[in-house]
Amino acid sequence: MKNKNICTIVPYDASLASIGMVIVHEAYRGMGLGKIVTQMCIDTVSKDTTIMLIATEQGKPLYEKMGFSAVDCVQKYLCDRYIPIQSNDKMEMEIHTFSPKDLAQIVTLDERAVGAKRKKFLINRIEQAKECLTVKDRDGTVIGYGLSILGPVNLILGPIVAPNFEIACLLVDKLARNHQGRVRIDVPSGHEEFMLFLEQHDFYKVSQPSVMIINSKQLPPRNGTLYGIAAQVFG
């Protein structure tokens, strides 16, 4: 059964880890292997670490039996061809291509948005990115950032971290406007204005999977600036 059954866990810091890619080969489903590999991942981190995952409808009953509870949801949006913003009002900020000197500020913004420090993850994700953009105010301080990852099917947008939905919309526009093909973004709950913008620019919601956790009753505190997650596997 080598390479047939897979589960990954991504530890961020002592407070949070994310489980994703629970895959059981179709020939071995119904044998409890999904539970086994998931438990093996859980056992690799401290019992004091909050473990999160984003569950499919098929996987949710398994995770509930293992002690996970649903605490939130994300909205999965796809777009077959993005419709760009026609005009931008001038704002007191500038969008730049990522520079290594911006990394420390990005890590700090991301920590406040996600509730955990993800420096190593962000370094790797930026290296994988098709594009990484930063938003700076007139003093040169980084106030937001966004990544696009070119996958085999979709251009994936995320993480998107911004102080407000207008800037989140501008980041999406800059990252998606020149892409010829399908675009995907997974949006945390509570961003209705942002989701309305997406729908006005030809995105459509395809699912609303649950965010589930174990070892805690709630996610680490977040400040509401996370508009797009990195991917369902990374939270």
Side-chain angles (χ1 to χ4, degrees):
M1 292 189 293
K2 186 177 180 181
N3 296 328
K4 301 295 186 182
N5 311 299
I6 301 169
C7 183
T8 62
I9 186 165
V10 183
Y12 293 129
D13 58 18
S15 66
L16 183 67
S18 179
I19 283 180
M21 291 183 68
V22 181
I23 300 172
V24 177
H25 190 278
E26 61 182 9
Y28 303 102
R29 291 172 188 167
M31 300 170 62
L33 297 177
K35 180 178 180 179
I36 291 171
V37 295
T38 303
Q39 188 63 53
M40 290 173 66
C41 284
I42 292 171
D43 292 342
T44 64
V45 300
S46 165
K47 294 186 183 299
D48 295 324
T49 300
T50 299
I51 302 174
M52 65 171 291
L53 57 80
I54 297 176
T56 62
E57 282 301 313
Q58 296 86 349
K60 189 176 178 181
L62 165 66
Y63 302 129
E64 289 174 334
K65 289 178 182 177
M66 296 184 70
F68 284 86
S69 57
V71 294
D72 204 348
C73 62
V74 295
Q75 331 292 321
K76 177 183 175 181
Y77 276 92
L78 294 177
C79 174
D80 296 319
R81 188 176 181 121
Y82 173 72
I83 300 173
I85 295 174
Q86 293 302 311
S87 62
N88 289 333
D89 293 332
K90 289 188 176 181
M91 304 175 71
E92 292 187 347
M93 56 88 194
E94 295 181 349
I95 297 180
H96 299 269
T97 300
F98 168 76
S99 171
K101 64 180 172 50
D102 298 327
L103 179 63
Q105 293 185 75
I106 288 175
V107 171
T108 298
L109 287 175
D110 186 80
E111 182 176 5
R112 294 168 182 166
V114 175
K117 193 169 185 176
R118 307 195 295 177
K119 182 176 181 179
K120 184 180 291 187
F121 165 74
L122 287 170
I123 290 171
N124 291 334
R125 201 64 173 166
I126 289 169
E127 289 179 352
Q128 296 169 352
K130 176 184 179 184
E131 198 169 9
C132 177
L133 300 177
T134 59
V135 183
K136 296 183 180 181
D137 64 18
R138 60 183 176 180
D139 297 321
T141 301
V142 178
I143 60 173
Y145 81 94
L147 274 67
S148 63
I149 307 292
L150 187 58
V153 178
N154 306 313
L155 180 71
I156 302 169
L157 306 185
I160 302 288
V161 173
N164 54 56
F165 94 94
E166 291 96 342
I167 291 177
C169 294
L170 290 177
L171 281 167
V172 166
D173 185 68
K174 292 290 187 182
L175 292 167
R177 64 165 42 238
N178 295 319
H179 180 66
Q180 304 298 316
R182 179 174 285 182
V183 184
R184 171 176 174 172
I185 184 169
D186 295 303
V187 183
S189 61
H191 293 303
E192 283 73 19
E193 288 181 296
F194 180 63
M195 289 186 281
L196 178 60
F197 161 82
L198 294 176
E199 291 168 6
Q200 289 171 340
H201 290 264
D202 228 24
F203 281 85
Y204 51 94
K205 186 165 72 172
V206 295
S207 63
Q208 185 174 298
S210 297
V211 178
M212 306 187 75
I213 61 171
I214 198 170
N215 296 342
S216 179
K217 293 183 178 179
Q218 60 186 14
L219 288 167
R222 298 180 171 190
N223 65 1
T225 60
L226 183 66
Y227 284 82
I229 67 173
Q232 289 190 13
V233 63
F234 298 123

